[in-house]
Amino acid sequence: MNSDRKNVYISPFNPSPRLSFFFRYPSESIGLVADEGGIAIRKISPPIGMDILLVALHLPSKLYMTEDDQKFQAVRVSQLIQEAESKVGHTRTLVIGDFNMNPFEAGIVGADGLHAVMTQSIARKHSRKVQGKERPFF
């Protein structure tokens, strides 16, 4: 990637053997927040602009987990993201990677999972109450 030296990419320290990161930002702009079994969370502090959380993941496929197991894994991902957002003090989070689930499976759309929604108008409501508890949208 750095063969022509026009844009130099760095690969900061990364404890995850399953995921790799390459950035053009200075190394001090990338901070380790969490790294757990195919789920890596980094705080990105660009030279200009606001910090974000970058969540990269590669969750196990249905070859190795049942759909129910994947649902529980999605709940854990959601918990890790909420803990990371609480730690850094914002909810500007971008999730990328391979969920190994279909978009409408319970782990993706369920309130205890990622609670993903289809439209910006729904997402702008930020959350909804489910069984008396406020659940944030993703």
Side-chain angles (χ1 to χ4, degrees), residues 6 9 15 21 28 31 35-37 42 44 47-48 56 68 72 88 111 127 134 137:
K6 199 176 216 180
Y9 292 87
F21 292 92
E28 61 271 7
D35 206 294
E36 182 179 300
R42 304 294 183 267
I44 311 298
I48 298 173
D68 284 340
F72 294 126
V88 300
S127 65
E134 202 67 29
F137 290 130

Side-chain angles (χ1 to χ4, degrees), residues 61-125:
S61 77
K62 286 179 179 52
L63 292 173
Y64 307 105
M65 283 190 157
T66 66
E67 190 172 323
D68 284 340
D69 291 332
Q70 286 181 314
K71 189 179 353 178
F72 294 126
Q73 182 76 6
V75 170
R76 182 65 190 135
V77 170
S78 177
Q79 290 169 343
L80 282 172
I81 291 171
Q82 288 177 29
E83 289 167 12
E85 289 175 340
S86 179
K87 187 176 186 179
V88 300
H90 65 73
T91 58
R92 294 182 301 275
T93 303
L94 173 66
V95 181
I96 60 172
D98 189 353
F99 293 88
N100 272 311
M101 287 182 263
N102 291 315
F104 298 105
E105 286 188 43
I108 301 292
V109 299
D112 287 329
L114 292 169
H115 207 191
V117 294
M118 291 176 32
T119 66
Q120 282 185 354
S121 63
I122 297 170
R124 284 190 181 118
K125 295 176 185 174

Side-chain angles (χ1 to χ4, degrees), residues 14-33:
N14 186 30
S16 177
R18 296 181 66 193
L19 301 164
S20 298
F21 292 92
F22 299 93
F23 295 98
R24 287 180 44 196
Y25 291 141
S27 59
E28 61 271 7
S29 296
I30 297 103
L32 175 70
V33 177

